Amino acid sequence: MVEAAELPEDVIPLLAQIDAVIEPLPADDSLAEAINELDRLLDGGEGSLLTRYSRARLQEQAGLNTAARSYGKVARELADMGRWEAASLLARHALRLSPDPELIPLLLEASRNSGNDESRRADLQLAAHLAPHNPRVQWAQAQAAQAQGQTGRAAELTVRALRGFIESGQPKAAEDALLAALEEPSPTLAHHLLGLMPLMAEKKMLPLAEDALDLLEPLVGKFRLRQALSTTLEEMLRVGEATVSMRQRYVDAVAEIRGDQAAVKTAAEETKLTDPGTKFTEALTAFQSALSFARGALVKHRTWGVGRITSTNDQALIIDFPERRGQQMARSMARRSLTAVSPHSLEAVMFLRADSLKQEASQDAVGLMLRVIDESGGKASAPNFKKWLVGPVLTEGQWSAWWKGARESAAEDARIDHSNAFQGDYRRASGDQQAAVKLPPLNFQAGLSAAARMVMRLVDQHPELEEEAQVKYGPAFVSWAERDQEPEDQLAVGLLLSDWYPDQRDAWARDTARLLGEARGLNLLGSAAEQQAALELAQEAADPSRALVAALGSRFGPVRAHARTQLLRMGDKLPALLHTYLNDEQTPVPVQVEVIRLALELRQQGLGAEHDPWSLALAVIRALAHVKAQRDATSLKEMLAPQGEIAGLVRDHPRTKDMEINLELALLFVLRHGRRAPLVREFLTAVGAEELNRHLEEAHRPVEQEHLIPERDPKIVLMTRETYEGKVERREQLRKDLATEIPKKIAAARELGDLSENADYHAAKEQQGLADAEERSLEAMLDHARIIEDLRISDEYVIAGTEVTLLDAAGEERHMWILGQDDNHHGPEVVNYRAALGQAVVGRKRGEEVTLETETGPKTYKVVSIRKRLPETKRKGKGKRAGMFSD
């Protein structure tokens, strides 16, 4: 029931009178009897406003559905009397009882005339909630938005309301909305309005359509919408009444586009396109055919490009293409293989005045961007610009630098609306104001890192939206980050969430330090700003040392310099850290190069002398086997110079057995790059390592000593079948990625434009480099691999595939299972036959003694048993295996 406090003062006495009438009515009378008694007592009849209002009160009190409609009738009568506040109050109350869409126009009308701003806002909010798609609601929302200065929102709502008025057949309301929309025109708005013209024609609102076309005419030239106008007129004539004036408008639009009034006029007269007695669709087909192949017309062939028709006859055309002048083509063939080209189109300008576009590219990059934007339907992204410009205007080599400069110019040019540049989209600006920025939905299909980078670009270009972005995107990123993601994804998201959620920053710092260390490189993040931010975040972790070493491989000099500075602050702890990376063959080449440089620098300062200098030579030789970048290759060659610092450190320095084995294996990989083998050979000669040099030279030749067991043959790499198959599977996956997936990523990233700051491109290139190095390393290893299970294994000698038991003088036993390269996953007792411990026992027989290095010093053991032991073959079935090993 309506509260008296909510009513205007002049209505309250009426309520008191009604209450006085209702109060004496018998409580047990039926509703119908009560209403009849009310009519009699009031003596007003059915037409009495007071009677109808009282009836609505009684119906509401009785819980009848008819109460809302009764209140609505009273509200309508009050509105007719000009009592707007009372009408607004009753309409609102009626809608609360039953959301009847028919009452909404009344509510809005009463609210608009009541003069009460607070009530007006409440009424509009209620109407929008009940009927958000009602054109009158949208129209009222548009007016409210305009009053608040929200011009972009107002324009959008006005166009929606206009469409609704057209669809519901309300020409007067549509005219009001059209005039309001055109108060602040823009290219986008003009496009939308042109798109509504065919709907006007379909709904038989030709006068409105004619007015709209008259009003839009100056905008068509201003925003270069001639082609859009032509298309609109053609659609209007197809669906609506093809009047003479509308047909003539179409002919004029086509003539404006083609720039050849005479040819268009002749074609229209020949095909009777403007004759109302001719069916428009039939005349249109003939008109377009005649115009397409008229003398002087521009046409496009799918292979030969754009050309101009120089002469015609009934049977054939003569066309000048750039590379095929005077090409003759039968009309039947021309209809199948040629398409018409507008002389105002960018394609036509490229054909007619290509040199002018090249000049424009250097003098007015934004103007050239606007040409592509207009040609692309009002907006364009980097792939659109590149598709249009590379080839006719720019070379592939010029593209990246040009696009970077064009974007920078566009950011300062009022002609370009770059409000959506964070998504790569550019539009022609409307006036001097940039369009309102809307937060787009996240597209996780493109990858989590791509979504994170889009948001980072958004808040970088529009910092005022960061709080809103955090509210909208933060929970989604948190949810996705909790799932298993690629390191690139986790790093990119970590940069966002560590700023948005400071209470979790310690956890993100720890994860970032771990991810950078595990990735062994920072180039998964493609821009200098991202890398620097990730490195600074990682430094907040308890131990950022691995992340700092990874940063040494950054392609950005300032990032590398920052990492070096921070590492040098570690003092005497740094040599041991660097030594770990020197001995790790998985260290990426760019990182390894900087690690070697840093280690040499420390040795000059008297730090790290306790570490084997051959680790430096080994690291350089390993890196030479896998290096791709010319800069790194040059650095490595300088480091391995016969008179260089490393040569001086290792000359006449003894090598351990493990170092000997590792050097031999590294030399095998170097042989795959024949042009680098002489460099290594010269170094080994200079430092007196002739036995290694002979190994390098003999590796080309087959083993002549028949008695040499595989475990002693440096050219052979032994491993179990499971390890071998795993490496083959990994190699094939890498080959597939290198042949398909990674090139796709690189190609897609190239389309985004400027490569110098293209994070997606550099992440893909980094992935390509790592995958290529790993694939070549695996290929070299598999070329020399032999499977242990395929060897003739006996228990007479300790060889790969046997388990040996040793006994010391105190009676303590020691068990070792001798297997091959990377076979340690088979169990904790596995010993690599190439390791110093493995080489010490390989070839021994029962009863022989062997001296091993232990934590307490050398210790002598006796071989007491040898038995064949191979890994158990995996059994298929429900993903389980019954035991890992068998004897």
Side-chain angles (χ1 to χ4, degrees), residues 661-702:
I661 292 169
N662 288 329
L663 283 166
E664 290 174 359
L665 190 58
L667 293 175
L668 287 177
F669 294 156
V670 169
L671 285 175
R672 294 183 62 82
H673 298 276
R675 66 183 184 277
R676 292 172 186 160
L679 174 69
V680 177
R681 187 178 295 114
E682 184 180 1
F683 171 81
L684 294 175
T685 299
V687 300
E690 290 297 338
E691 64 279 17
L692 286 174
N693 218 350
R694 285 194 296 273
H695 170 79
L696 185 62
E697 294 170 353
E698 292 172 358
H700 284 292
R701 300 193 295 269

Side-chain angles (χ1 to χ4, degrees), residues 190 194 213 215-230 253 256:
L194 284 173
L213 289 170
L215 293 169
L216 285 168
E217 185 174 354
L219 302 182
V220 169
K222 179 180 179 181
F223 298 136
R224 301 186 182 186
L225 300 177
R226 296 184 183 89
Q227 187 62 54
L229 174 62
S230 173
E256 186 72 21

Side-chain angles (χ1 to χ4, degrees), residues 722-740:
E722 182 179 344
T723 300
Y724 179 85
E725 291 175 350
K727 291 184 181 299
V728 170
E729 183 178 347
R730 175 60 179 165
R731 180 191 64 186
E732 296 308 309
Q733 181 60 51
L734 289 168
R735 286 178 174 176
K736 179 181 177 182
D737 291 345
L738 287 166
T740 57

Side-chain angles (χ1 to χ4, degrees), residues 242-251 273-275 278 280:
T243 62
V244 174
S245 61
M246 195 67 72
R247 290 183 184 219
Q248 189 58 53
R249 277 184 185 270
Y250 174 69
V251 173
L273 184 65
T274 57
D275 185 351
T278 305
F280 176 75

